[in-house]
Coordinates of all heavy atoms in Angstrom, one line a residue:
K69 N 11.0 15.9 -28.2 CA 10.2 17.0 -28.6 C 10.5 18.3 -27.8 O 10.1 19.4 -28.2 CB 8.7 16.7 -28.5 CG 8.2 15.9 -29.7 CD 6.7 16.0 -29.7 CE 6.1 14.6 -29.8 NZ 4.8 14.4 -29.2
K70 N 10.9 18.1 -26.5 CA 11.0 19.2 -25.6 C 12.5 19.2 -25.0 O 12.7 18.6 -23.9 CB 10.0 19.0 -24.5 CG 9.9 20.2 -23.6 CD 8.7 20.1 -22.7 CE 8.6 21.3 -21.8 NZ 7.5 21.3 -20.9
P71 N 13.4 19.9 -25.6 CA 14.7 19.9 -25.1 C 14.7 20.6 -23.7 O 14.0 21.5 -23.5 CB 15.5 20.8 -26.1 CG 14.6 21.0 -27.3 CD 13.2 20.7 -26.9
G72 N 15.5 20.1 -22.8 CA 15.6 20.7 -21.5 C 14.7 20.0 -20.5 O 14.9 20.1 -19.3
L73 N 13.8 19.2 -21.1 CA 13.0 18.4 -20.1 C 13.9 17.4 -19.4 O 14.6 16.7 -20.1 CB 11.9 17.6 -20.9 CG 11.1 16.5 -20.2 CD1 10.3 17.2 -19.1 CD2 10.2 15.8 -21.2
Q74 N 13.7 17.3 -18.1 CA 14.5 16.3 -17.4 C 13.6 15.1 -16.9 O 12.5 15.4 -16.5 CB 15.2 16.9 -16.2 CG 16.4 17.8 -16.6 CD 17.2 18.3 -15.4 OE1 16.6 18.9 -14.5 NE2 18.4 18.1 -15.3
I75 N 14.2 13.9 -16.8 CA 13.4 12.8 -16.3 C 14.3 12.1 -15.3 O 15.4 11.7 -15.5 CB 13.0 11.9 -17.5 CG1 12.2 12.6 -18.5 CG2 12.3 10.6 -17.0 CD1 11.8 11.7 -19.7
G76 N 13.6 11.8 -14.2 CA 14.3 11.1 -13.1 C 13.6 9.9 -12.6 O 12.3 9.9 -12.7
L77 N 14.3 8.9 -12.1 CA 13.7 7.7 -11.7 C 13.8 7.6 -10.2 O 14.9 7.7 -9.7 CB 14.2 6.5 -12.4 CG 13.4 5.2 -12.3 CD1 12.4 5.2 -13.6 CD2 14.3 4.0 -12.5
L78 N 12.7 7.3 -9.5 CA 12.8 7.2 -8.1 C 12.3 5.7 -7.6 O 11.8 5.0 -8.4 CB 11.8 8.2 -7.4 CG 11.8 9.6 -7.9 CD1 10.8 10.4 -7.1 CD2 13.2 10.3 -7.7
G79 N 12.5 5.5 -6.3 CA 11.9 4.3 -5.8 C 12.6 3.0 -5.9 O 13.8 2.9 -6.1
C80 N 11.8 1.9 -5.8 CA 12.3 0.6 -5.6 C 13.1 0.1 -6.8 O 14.1 -0.6 -6.6 CB 11.2 -0.4 -5.3 SG 10.5 -0.1 -3.6
M81 N 12.6 0.4 -7.9 CA 13.4 -0.1 -9.1 C 14.7 0.7 -9.3 O 15.7 0.1 -9.7 CB 12.5 0.2 -10.4 CG 13.1 -0.5 -11.6 SD 11.9 -0.3 -13.0 CE 12.9 -0.6 -14.4
A82 N 14.7 1.9 -8.9 CA 16.0 2.7 -8.9 C 16.9 2.0 -8.0 O 18.1 1.9 -8.3 CB 15.7 4.1 -8.5
E83 N 16.5 1.6 -6.9 CA 17.3 1.0 -5.9 C 17.8 -0.4 -6.3 O 19.0 -0.7 -6.1 CB 16.5 0.8 -4.6 CG 17.3 0.4 -3.4 CD 18.4 1.4 -3.0 OE1 18.1 2.6 -2.9 OE2 19.6 1.0 -2.9
R84 N 16.9 -1.1 -7.0 CA 17.3 -2.5 -7.4 C 18.3 -2.5 -8.6 O 19.3 -3.2 -8.6 CB 16.0 -3.2 -7.8 CG 16.2 -4.8 -7.7 CD 15.0 -5.4 -8.2 NE 14.8 -5.4 -9.6 CZ 15.5 -6.1 -10.5 NH1 16.4 -7.0 -10.0 NH2 15.3 -6.0 -11.8
V85 N 18.0 -1.7 -9.6 CA 18.8 -1.8 -10.8 C 20.0 -0.8 -10.8 O 21.0 -0.9 -11.5 CB 18.0 -1.6 -12.1 CG1 18.7 -2.1 -13.3 CG2 16.7 -2.5 -11.9
K86 N 19.9 0.2 -9.9 CA 20.9 1.2 -9.7 C 21.4 1.9 -10.9 O 20.7 2.0 -11.9 CB 22.1 0.5 -8.9 CG 21.7 0.0 -7.5 CD 22.8 -0.2 -6.6 CE 22.3 -0.6 -5.2 NZ 21.5 -1.7 -5.0
E87 N 22.7 2.3 -11.0 CA 23.2 3.2 -12.0 C 23.2 2.5 -13.4 O 23.2 3.2 -14.4 CB 24.5 3.8 -11.7 CG 25.7 2.9 -11.8 CD 26.0 2.4 -10.4 OE1 25.1 2.2 -9.6 OE2 27.2 2.0 -10.2
K88 N 23.1 1.1 -13.4 CA 22.9 0.4 -14.6 C 21.8 1.0 -15.5 O 21.9 1.0 -16.7 CB 22.6 -1.1 -14.4 CG 23.6 -2.0 -15.0 CD 23.3 -3.4 -14.6 CE 22.3 -4.1 -15.5 NZ 21.6 -5.3 -14.9
L89 N 20.7 1.4 -14.8 CA 19.6 1.9 -15.5 C 19.9 3.2 -16.3 O 19.4 3.4 -17.4 CB 18.5 2.3 -14.5 CG 17.4 1.3 -14.1 CD1 16.6 1.8 -13.0 CD2 16.5 1.0 -15.3
L90 N 20.8 4.0 -15.8 CA 21.2 5.2 -16.5 C 21.8 4.9 -17.8 O 21.6 5.6 -18.8 CB 22.2 6.0 -15.7 CG 21.6 6.9 -14.6 CD1 22.7 7.5 -13.7 CD2 20.7 7.9 -15.1
H91 N 22.5 3.8 -17.9 CA 23.1 3.4 -19.2 C 22.1 2.7 -20.1 O 22.1 2.8 -21.3 CB 24.3 2.5 -19.0 CG 25.3 3.1 -18.0 ND1 25.9 4.3 -18.3 CD2 25.7 2.7 -16.8 CE1 26.7 4.6 -17.2 NE2 26.6 3.7 -16.3
E92 N 21.2 1.9 -19.4 CA 20.2 1.1 -20.3 C 19.0 2.0 -20.8 O 18.5 1.7 -21.8 CB 19.6 0.0 -19.4 CG 20.6 -1.0 -19.1 CD 20.1 -2.0 -18.1 OE1 18.9 -1.9 -17.6 OE2 20.8 -2.9 -17.7
E93 N 18.7 3.1 -20.1 CA 17.5 3.8 -20.4 C 18.0 5.2 -20.8 O 18.2 6.1 -20.0 CB 16.6 3.9 -19.2 CG 16.1 2.6 -18.8 CD 15.2 1.9 -19.8 OE1 14.7 2.5 -20.7 OE2 15.0 0.6 -19.7
S94 N 18.0 5.5 -22.1 CA 18.6 6.8 -22.5 C 17.7 8.0 -22.1 O 18.2 9.1 -22.0 CB 18.8 6.8 -24.0 OG 17.5 6.5 -24.6
A95 N 16.4 7.8 -21.8 CA 15.6 8.9 -21.4 C 16.0 9.5 -20.1 O 15.5 10.5 -19.7 CB 14.2 8.4 -21.4
L96 N 16.7 8.7 -19.3 CA 16.8 9.1 -17.9 C 18.0 10.0 -17.6 O 19.1 9.8 -18.2 CB 17.2 7.8 -17.0 CG 16.0 6.9 -16.6 CD1 16.4 5.8 -15.8 CD2 15.0 7.8 -15.9
D97 N 17.8 11.0 -16.8 CA 18.8 12.0 -16.5 C 19.5 11.7 -15.1 O 20.7 11.9 -14.9 CB 18.2 13.4 -16.3 CG 17.8 13.9 -17.7 OD1 18.7 14.2 -18.5 OD2 16.6 14.0 -17.9
F98 N 18.6 11.1 -14.2 CA 19.2 10.8 -12.9 C 18.3 9.7 -12.2 O 17.1 9.6 -12.6 CB 19.3 12.0 -12.0 CG 18.0 12.7 -11.8 CD1 17.3 12.5 -10.7 CD2 17.6 13.7 -12.6 CE1 16.0 13.0 -10.5 CE2 16.4 14.4 -12.4 CZ 15.6 14.1 -11.4
I99 N 18.9 9.1 -11.2 CA 18.1 8.2 -10.4 C 18.3 8.3 -8.8 O 19.4 8.7 -8.5 CB 18.3 6.7 -10.8 CG1 19.6 6.2 -10.4 CG2 18.0 6.5 -12.3 CD1 19.8 4.7 -10.7
A100 N 17.3 8.2 -8.1 CA 17.4 8.3 -6.6 C 16.6 7.2 -5.9 O 15.5 6.9 -6.2 CB 16.8 9.6 -6.2
G101 N 17.3 6.5 -5.1 CA 16.6 5.4 -4.3 C 15.7 6.0 -3.2 O 15.8 7.2 -2.9
P102 N 15.0 5.1 -2.6 CA 14.0 5.6 -1.6 C 14.5 6.4 -0.4 O 13.8 7.1 0.3 CB 13.3 4.3 -1.0 CG 13.6 3.3 -2.1 CD 14.9 3.7 -2.7
D103 N 15.8 6.2 -0.1 CA 16.3 7.0 1.1 C 17.1 8.2 0.7 O 17.8 8.8 1.5 CB 17.2 6.1 2.0 CG 16.4 5.1 2.8 OD1 15.2 5.3 2.9 OD2 17.0 4.1 3.3
A104 N 17.1 8.5 -0.7 CA 18.0 9.5 -1.1 C 17.2 10.8 -1.7 O 17.8 11.6 -2.4 CB 18.8 9.0 -2.4
Y105 N 16.0 11.0 -1.3 CA 15.2 12.0 -1.8 C 15.7 13.4 -1.4 O 15.4 14.4 -2.1 CB 13.7 11.8 -1.5 CG 13.2 10.5 -2.1 CD1 12.1 9.8 -1.6 CD2 13.7 10.0 -3.3 CE1 11.7 8.7 -2.1 CE2 13.3 8.9 -3.9 CZ 12.2 8.2 -3.3 OH 11.8 7.0 -3.9
R106 N 16.3 13.5 -0.2 CA 16.8 14.8 0.2 C 17.9 15.3 -0.8 O 18.1 16.5 -0.9 CB 17.4 14.8 1.6 CG 16.3 14.7 2.7 CD 17.0 14.8 4.0 NE 16.2 14.1 5.0 CZ 15.3 14.8 5.8 NH1 15.2 16.1 5.7 NH2 14.6 14.2 6.7
S107 N 18.5 14.4 -1.5 CA 19.6 14.8 -2.4 C 19.1 15.2 -3.8 O 19.9 15.5 -4.7 CB 20.7 13.7 -2.5 OG 20.2 12.6 -3.1
L108 N 17.8 15.1 -4.0 CA 17.2 15.4 -5.3 C 17.6 16.7 -5.9 O 18.0 16.8 -7.1 CB 15.7 15.3 -5.3 CG 15.2 13.8 -5.5 CD1 13.7 13.7 -5.2 CD2 15.5 13.3 -6.9
P109 N 17.6 17.8 -5.1 CA 17.9 19.1 -5.8 C 19.4 19.1 -6.3 O 19.7 19.5 -7.4 CB 17.9 20.1 -4.5 CG 16.8 19.5 -3.7 CD 17.0 18.0 -3.8
T110 N 20.3 18.4 -5.5 CA 21.7 18.2 -6.0 C 21.7 17.4 -7.2 O 22.5 17.7 -8.2 CB 22.6 17.6 -4.9 OG1 22.2 18.2 -3.7 CG2 24.0 17.7 -5.1
L111 N 21.0 16.2 -7.3 CA 21.0 15.3 -8.4 C 20.6 16.0 -9.7 O 21.1 15.9 -10.7 CB 20.2 14.1 -8.1 CG 20.8 13.2 -7.1 CD1 19.7 12.1 -6.7 CD2 22.0 12.5 -7.5
I112 N 19.5 16.8 -9.4 CA 18.9 17.5 -10.6 C 19.9 18.5 -11.2 O 20.1 18.6 -12.4 CB 17.6 18.3 -10.2 CG1 16.5 17.2 -9.8 CG2 17.1 19.2 -11.3 CD1 15.3 17.8 -9.1
Q113 N 20.7 19.3 -10.3 CA 21.7 20.2 -10.8 C 22.8 19.5 -11.5 O 23.3 19.9 -12.5 CB 22.2 20.8 -9.5 CG 21.6 22.1 -9.2 CD 22.6 23.2 -8.9 OE1 23.7 22.9 -8.4 NE2 22.2 24.3 -9.3
E114 N 23.3 18.4 -10.9 CA 24.4 17.6 -11.5 C 23.9 17.2 -12.9 O 24.8 17.3 -13.8 CB 24.7 16.4 -10.6 CG 25.6 16.8 -9.4 CD 25.8 15.6 -8.5 OE1 25.5 14.5 -8.9 OE2 26.4 15.8 -7.4

Side-chain angles (χ1 to χ4, degrees):
K69 279 199 232 147
K70 188 170 177 181
L73 168 68
Q74 287 186 305
I75 300 179
L77 198 87
L78 315 177
C80 290
M81 186 173 168
E83 190 62 51
R84 201 185 74 75
V85 196
K86 302 197 165 62
E87 71 268 28
K88 229 175 94 198
L89 265 172
L90 281 172
H91 306 299
E92 290 170 5
E93 301 291 343
S94 57
L96 281 181
D97 293 289
F98 59 91
I99 67 174
D103 287 343
Y105 298 149
R106 285 181 205 268
S107 67
L108 276 170
T110 320
L111 291 172
I112 295 167
Q113 269 229 323
E114 285 177 2

